[in-house]
Amino acid sequence: MSQTLKELSNSQRNVDQPPVLIANASTTQLLHQIDNWVSRGWLRALDRSFATFLLEQDPQTRVSVLLAAAMTSHQLGRGHSCLDLVATLQAPDFVLSLPPEGEEGSQLPSQWLQNLDIEQWRQTLALSPMVEDRDGQQRFPERPMVLAGSRLYLRRYWNYESSIAQSLSRRLSVEAMTPVNFSSRLDTLFPLAFVDKGVRCSDWQKIACALAARGNFSVITGGPGTGKTTSVVRLLGLLQTPAVDEGKPLRIRLAAPTGKAAARLSESIGKAVRELPVSAPVQEAIPTDVSTLHRLLGSRPDSRNFIHHRDKPLELDVLVVDEASMIDLEMMACLLDALPRQARLILLGDKDQLASVDAGSVLGDLCRNAEVGGYSEQTVAWLEAHSGESVSAPRLQTAVGLGDPLAQQTVMLRYSRRFDSQQGIGRLAKLVNEKNAVEARNLLDQQLPQLFNLKLRGEHDAALTELIINGQGDAPGYRHYLELLRDLRPAKDTAWDSDRWADWAGKVLTAFDEFRLLCALRRGPWGVEGLNQRVAAQLRHCELLPGEHGWYEGRPVLVTRNDYSLNLMNGDIGIAFWVPGPSAELVLRVAFPRNDGSGGVRFVMPSRLVEVETVFAMTVHKSQGSEFNHTALVLPDALNPVLTKELLYTAITRAKQWFSLVEASPGVFEGAVSRNVQRTSGLALQLQDELAKLQRT
């Protein structure tokens, strides 16, 4: 819990009202208090509804059970899969969405939970007919909550964790058959020794390829430019070559959580396949089209269910999923449920990025020990024999007995080909990841060509407007794409069905991706909503945008919900253009990049776009899966719970050439660097238990 919340709790305790202890309270008093918290935005109405539902099912439900239920429900909205009872008693107020500055006049959970003992609370929950106690002898799968040790779940999320753990443990217990002539094929795909700064180093891409080839499940993690895509394309070449030679090519599918991530992977994989040292038939048998996970599984409108599931599995032999850090618990459970048991699953992602928007941190849980490795003596010997590479790196721990089965199929790529970890963007990302705020600040103060640090003198500082519109140095702002929109416009007499209109729109869309303004928050002057209004107003003032609201030419929009009728996915970005219609009159249309990897553009009527928002500024979460030549991160003027090193790292690594940090107040950056995202989850423990069961049998 942050120091701010501790001070808030201590300052309000026994000041405005005497404490209402759980032991003395009635359910009516608790529901009244929950209503108060909901009205202040500290809890959701949904959380109150869940507590009410339990009371309707069992009018004798104890107050401590109802409060735990409301808290557990609220934790889901904050990304946690469960409520940690021990941590809650240590810092009760942290489970509410309290404002950083606090608020007078309302009691806090710390007042209600005074003197409540963990064993007493746990026993009360275990005896409730609304809770299944997993430590007990009997099973009650119909009960809406599950208690496992000191972790309290809503039933659905317990089921998700259990399903994932069981599925992965089964996959990790089976060793896949490696291709014939494995070592020689691997050497063909990696013909050159890896050299970093003139020193021969272990080629972790080759190691990752070798390790993934021997299992039905593997994880390849690493930062930007470490070669996740290169590794997996060579892996696909390694697996597909003997299959094509035998006349039975593998059915390979590629997927990503969002349309933007899918488009990026499609582009990078297409280039990597063309450079692969394999025969033309093998290249043709490696797909370059990438689907979103929702489309892969077959979404059903207005339903949580998918077309593909255990009884109707996906028809594939190999599935590669990129940007796995964005996958939440529910999606991972559905994906594994639809995957044929004999199929290989390879997850790619950066373990240090932000976790998924919805509950869970699947990749983070799976990669908990990725940096230290934990390879067994047998794994090390196998890798060195087949890859010819020395399995060594700083912080790596090997030869640790039998080794965790998950660790044996997890590889962390350790060298970035894009960023130099000793300077510029790469150095800043590394320092933030290491929580080294002092050195990160020193690096920013050097004003290097790749890094800009803008310290504002107030909310209306013109320096921010200058950065947004004109950029800084060679780094572009939004003027760039709007000038291309004006200067490259086809002549008026260009036929309405000419390719020139799509070419023009495509160039403007590409130019728009040269720069992006990122925010930590949605609301307020430093959030997405406030900055989108400010940017649009300033661009109109500079006569770069027309002086109108609603739909206008040059307006960039972000799709916020999957629309399968239009083949538009959450995260897709389009721009509005005036183009000629079939009758030669000008009509406003929104151009989107095609999701089929063709690089083309298609136009959509604005009236058909229901779930979209203006996107001059976007949250860091929404930017995952994207890259921009120049990225500017705007920090708010006060520390907020969402500000963590993971958020900073994700924002910094969205930048390909230039990164700008915009600070509204001193100390916020340092405060964010010092804090981690903390997601309460039992997935790692459940997977450990399932693997232990398999090893015993």
Side-chain angles (χ1 to χ4, degrees), residues 295-603:
R295 182 163 291 281
L296 175 77
L297 294 176
S299 291
R300 297 181 184 274
D302 303 317
S303 171
R304 306 180 80 105
N305 300 320
F306 293 99
I307 292 172
H308 291 287
H309 46 75
R310 185 172 306 172
D311 297 325
K312 189 180 179 182
L314 294 161
E315 296 180 357
L316 53 80
D317 301 302
V318 180
L319 175 62
V320 176
V321 182
D322 195 19
E323 297 291 351
S325 62
M326 301 168 68
I327 303 177
D328 57 75
L329 268 180
E330 181 175 3
M331 175 55 75
M332 190 65 181
C334 292
L335 179 65
L336 290 169
D337 188 55
L339 202 62
R341 182 165 294 192
Q342 78 282 358
R344 297 176 189 257
L345 173 62
I346 301 108
L347 299 182
L348 309 178
D350 186 346
K351 67 179 181 63
D352 296 316
Q353 281 191 29
L354 282 168
S356 57
V357 175
D358 293 318
S361 55
V362 176
L363 188 68
D365 287 338
L366 297 180
C367 294
R368 186 167 294 182
N369 299 314
E371 190 162 2
V372 297
Y375 299 127
S376 67
E377 294 176 351
Q378 293 90 332
T379 297
V380 171
W382 187 92
L383 282 171
E384 292 184 347
H386 288 85
S387 72
E389 295 293 323
S390 172
V391 183
S392 63
R395 302 185 185 180
L396 186 70
Q397 298 175 10
T398 60
V400 287
L402 291 175
D404 173 9
L406 175 60
Q408 311 314 301
Q409 290 302 123
T410 302
V411 180
M412 177 177 166
L413 303 179
R414 298 165 187 270
Y415 300 97
S416 177
R417 273 76 162 178
R418 183 184 309 162
F419 296 131
D420 186 341
S421 63
Q422 301 305 313
Q423 59 183 349
I425 293 172
R427 178 67 176 162
L428 181 63
K430 185 173 185 290
L431 291 171
V432 166
N433 212 16
E434 294 172 348
K435 301 175 73 170
N436 191 336
V438 174
E439 287 301 316
R441 170 59 64 193
N442 290 339
L443 186 66
L444 286 166
D445 288 344
Q446 293 177 30
Q447 296 293 323
L448 299 171
Q450 281 186 312
L451 300 174
F452 306 110
N453 187 199
L454 183 59
K455 299 175 182 177
L456 302 180
R457 292 170 293 181
E459 183 179 330
H460 302 290
D461 193 330
L464 177 56
T465 301
E466 175 67 18
L467 172 70
I468 292 168
I469 295 177
N470 298 316
Q472 192 157 356
D474 294 330
Y478 283 134
R479 177 185 293 274
H480 176 54
Y481 94 92
L482 289 168
E483 288 182 341
L484 283 183
L485 185 151
R486 178 194 63 202
D487 297 341
L488 299 182
R489 183 189 304 275
K492 290 183 179 180
D493 58 355
T494 304
W496 69 273
D497 57 352
S498 171
D499 290 341
R500 293 182 184 178
W501 297 104
D503 291 343
W504 167 55
K507 289 175 181 177
V508 174
L509 283 164
T510 299
F512 181 67
D513 276 349
E514 291 283 302
F515 172 64
R516 191 71 82 252
L517 192 64
L518 302 184
C519 306
L521 310 177
R522 283 204 57 83
R523 297 179 176 83
W526 308 111
V528 167
E529 295 174 0
L531 283 169
N532 270 321
Q533 293 177 8
R534 174 173 179 170
V535 173
Q538 291 298 331
L539 290 171
R540 290 191 186 98
H541 180 74
C542 296
E543 299 183 350
L544 291 167
L545 282 180
E548 53 190 271
H549 298 280
W551 283 103
Y552 51 84
E553 186 171 58
R555 180 192 178 191
V557 293
L558 174 76
V559 177
T560 58
R561 185 177 181 182
N562 294 339
D563 188 332
Y564 296 99
S565 65
L566 295 175
N567 192 27
L568 290 174
M569 300 295 113
N570 184 2
D572 286 352
I573 290 178
I575 296 177
F577 295 86
W578 284 108
V579 296
S583 302
E585 79 284 2
L586 289 179
V587 293
L588 198 67
R589 294 290 183 265
V590 184
F592 289 92
R594 291 192 179 275
N595 285 331
D596 57 8
S598 65
V601 167
R602 60 199 183 93
F603 293 97

Side-chain angles (χ1 to χ4, degrees), residues 64-65 67-76 78 80-89 91-92 94-96 113 121 125 145-154 680-682:
S64 61
V65 175
L67 181 57
M71 289 176 168
T72 304
S73 173
H74 189 63
Q75 292 305 84
L76 288 173
R78 304 173 75 190
H80 307 284
S81 63
C82 56
L83 178 74
D84 186 325
L85 301 177
V86 173
T88 298
L89 289 181
F94 192 54
V95 298
L96 298 188
L113 294 175
W121 198 10
L125 286 163
M145 293 195 295
V146 176
L147 181 64
S150 64
R151 305 189 313 278
L152 183 64
Y153 292 83
L154 267 63
T680 305
S681 165

